[in-house]
Amino acid sequence: MHTPSRSRFLRLALLLGFTLALPDAFAADPAAGDFAMPWWGWPIALFAVCFLLGIIAVPAGVGGGVLFVPIVGGFFPFHLDFVRGAGLLVALASALSAGPSLLSGGLASLRLALPLALVASASSILGAMIGFALPTHVVQTALGATILAIVVLMASAKKSEYPSVPAPDALSAALGMNGILVEAGTGRQVPWHVHRTPQGLAVFFVIGILAGLFGLGAGWANLPALNLLMGAPLKVSAGTSSFILSLVDSSAAWVYLNKGAVLPMIAVPSVIGMMLGAKIGARLLRVLPAAAIRKLVLGLLAFAGLRALLKGLGVWN
Amino acid sequence: MELNEKGLGRDQLAYARVLAVITHAGLALLVVLFGAYVLGLLDPHVPHHRLPDLWKLPAGQFLEATGMAPGWGWTALLHRADILTLVGIAALAFASVPCLAVIMPVYWRARRMSLLVICALEIGVIVLAASGLVTGGH
């Protein structure tokens, strides 16, 4: 027997599948000819897909950017340059919007974020430049391989509410990368600090390259780096991860703007759709089955990653 | 640096305040400008009906096909609706710079020179990316 939440989940999955299939059907069929979608159909379809992606991104615990690039890149007729540019803006706008409440609520730490964001934002410029220098099929293939690796990482990565950090390292102590987390329910104050800062900076350098190269929001990598590697509490890691994106994606976004890879007709409906969807997703957090949604998202990402990989290899165009 | 009852410093609260104002203004600007573009209130540089043929091209070929220059060349066409929308996008991409600038005096007064330098470098990175000097935009 279907429970209400399962039936809601099935309806959402069907709606998402149908919405994704529509643009691909119009774009992939060269015989569509006179029946090809008019120009205004594309931003509407994009808005609808991003709205649904925004709804499922919140309960699945992923950022919109990582869903946007492989899915829109795989199923819409836009060149990957424009999809990567729009993906960066989707991630940037979401991170900027969430930033004030995360910072003023103590769920993001400015002083933890600043050094890491500096390294990642500099390397994101490098990543974006690499992305424009490489042939599209190479970027597409690398994107597919990266998305499949992200699926494995997301499915297997552990989390730790309060990781054990015996002592801060010298660099994090000098930079004041510590704080106090006030638990919402109990009001308990939990002091925290981090360690392995040099290793963290090295990891964020690589994260920045990937963010700039593919236009992905990099929350999927920021969170485990902050939580498991550097030992920040899980809530601080999640909030700071989102805040870091607002700085990293700013510098990469300028590279895409300078290269002419930001098309308002693609970027703006995506940003608006994703942000409205995320608001609905946050409201539905209690009624949607989060575990099932997460499985749906991982399945969707695996499919989109495989599509990107095969498209890049010229197997499935 | 003094912390409030939530364990937050003045730097973090000041950053959050400025970010809230700029982000809301930037998003509102983006929606208004895009509305004018999509509803045809202003003429676009690239007609709407040409877009499905052009957005399949790589960005470099798109610029050539539409007669646009890379880098800040788009600012010469701000009277066109599609190009004007880029102002809203640029505002979001620049939003972090005023926030960083606002907290620098806080770090100066608290003698946190390492954080002051990090903020200055972060502003430098964003401005460098925006300038197009390292990315071949000019």
Side-chain angles (χ1 to χ4, degrees):
Chain A
M1 205 173 108
H2 289 298
T3 62
S5 63
R6 173 162 293 207
S7 131
R8 214 174 279 131
F9 165 73
L10 286 172
R11 281 204 300 271
L12 186 62
L14 276 173
L15 184 60
L16 189 66
F18 179 70
T19 315
L20 277 177
L22 263 181
D24 203 31
F26 278 100
D29 181 10
D34 294 340
F35 302 104
M37 198 187 293
W39 71 267
W40 47 263
W42 293 110
I44 292 173
L46 199 52
F47 175 84
V49 167
C50 289
F51 183 71
L52 286 173
L53 291 181
I55 291 176
I56 60 171
V58 176
V62 299
V66 74
L67 293 173
F68 178 87
V69 176
I71 289 172
V72 173
F75 300 97
F76 278 76
F78 316 132
H79 191 274
L80 192 58
D81 286 354
F82 299 117
V83 177
R84 290 185 292 140
L88 265 178
L89 289 168
V90 164
L92 174 65
S94 305
L96 287 171
S97 297
S101 60
L102 290 173
L103 287 169
S104 55
L107 291 174
S109 166
L110 182 65
R111 272 166 278 153
L112 173 61
L114 283 175
L116 304 169
L118 173 61
V119 170
S121 56
S123 63
S124 74
I125 297 177
L126 184 64
M129 289 166 68
I130 293 170
F132 283 107
L134 290 172
T136 303
H137 72 275
V138 174
V139 179
Q140 187 92 50
T141 306
L143 171 68
T146 304
I147 294 295
L148 292 175
I150 290 170
V151 171
V152 173
L153 179 73
M154 285 175 61
S156 60
K158 294 180 175 63
K159 291 170 184 168
S160 174
E161 196 73 32
Y162 293 106
S164 166
V165 180
D169 61 89
L171 187 56
S172 72
L175 294 173
M177 296 164 81
N178 51 51
I180 297 169
L181 174 65
V182 181
E183 287 186 344
T186 60
R188 187 168 72 107
Q189 295 197 340
V190 185
W192 59 266
H193 46 246
V194 295
H195 59 176
R196 304 187 193 120
T197 306
Q199 295 95 315
L201 289 168
V203 167
F204 271 86
F205 181 82
V206 177
I207 291 173
I209 289 181
L210 293 177
L213 176 56
F214 298 124
L216 300 172
W220 51 273
N222 291 349
L223 180 59
L226 288 164
N227 181 231
L228 299 177
L229 175 67
M230 298 181 68
L234 184 58
K235 283 182 181 168
V236 174
S237 299
T240 306
S241 158
S242 170
F243 173 67
I244 287 175
L245 290 183
S246 70
L247 289 160
V248 175
D249 291 347
S250 291
S251 46
W254 277 109
V255 179
Y256 281 79
L257 261 171
N258 278 326
K259 293 284 188 184
V262 176
L263 262 190
M265 195 61 85
I266 297 174
V268 183
S270 307
V271 167
I272 298 171
M274 192 73 79
M275 292 183 75
L276 289 177
K279 281 191 187 296
I280 304 287
R283 287 179 182 224
L284 294 178
L285 206 51
R286 288 186 186 175
V287 291
L288 286 175
I293 293 278
R294 190 170 169 81
K295 282 179 190 162
L296 167 75
V297 165
L298 287 179
L300 202 61
L301 265 182
F303 180 62
L306 194 64
R307 163 90 164 118
L309 186 69
L310 296 177
K311 197 174 174 182
L313 294 171
V315 177
W316 181 12
N317 286 309
Chain B
M1 196 176 298
E2 283 182 26
L3 303 178
N4 70 3
E5 70 283 358
K6 286 184 180 173
L8 305 176
R10 287 179 58 194
D11 53 344
Q12 185 148 331
L13 294 170
Y15 194 108
R17 270 198 303 274
V18 179
L19 185 60
V21 172
I22 294 177
T23 301
H24 284 131
L27 285 171
L29 182 68
L30 187 63
V31 170
V32 169
L33 294 177
F34 183 71
Y37 167 40
V38 84
L39 295 174
L41 302 181
L42 279 173
D43 286 338
H45 178 62
V46 180
H48 292 138
H49 67 271
R50 283 194 67 203
L51 283 171
D53 294 326
L54 294 170
W55 60 37
K56 296 171 186 164
L57 302 173
Q61 287 180 29
F62 175 89
L63 290 179
E64 280 177 27
T66 55
M68 288 170 64
W72 285 83
W74 57 274
T75 52
L77 297 165
L78 283 179
H79 55 291
R80 298 294 188 180
D82 45 349
I83 310 300
L84 189 60
T85 309
L86 292 177
V87 172
I89 291 171
L92 292 180
F94 207 68
S96 297
V97 170
C99 305
L100 289 162
V102 160
I103 59 171
M104 287 174 71
V106 179
Y107 290 142
W108 173 263
R109 284 193 291 273
R111 295 284 178 266
R112 300 298 297 266
M113 293 306 159
S114 52
L115 291 168
L116 182 75
V117 170
I118 287 173
C119 287
L121 289 173
E122 181 63 51
I123 290 175
V125 167
I126 295 173
V127 170
L128 189 67
S131 73
L133 291 173
V134 292
T135 55
H138 291 274

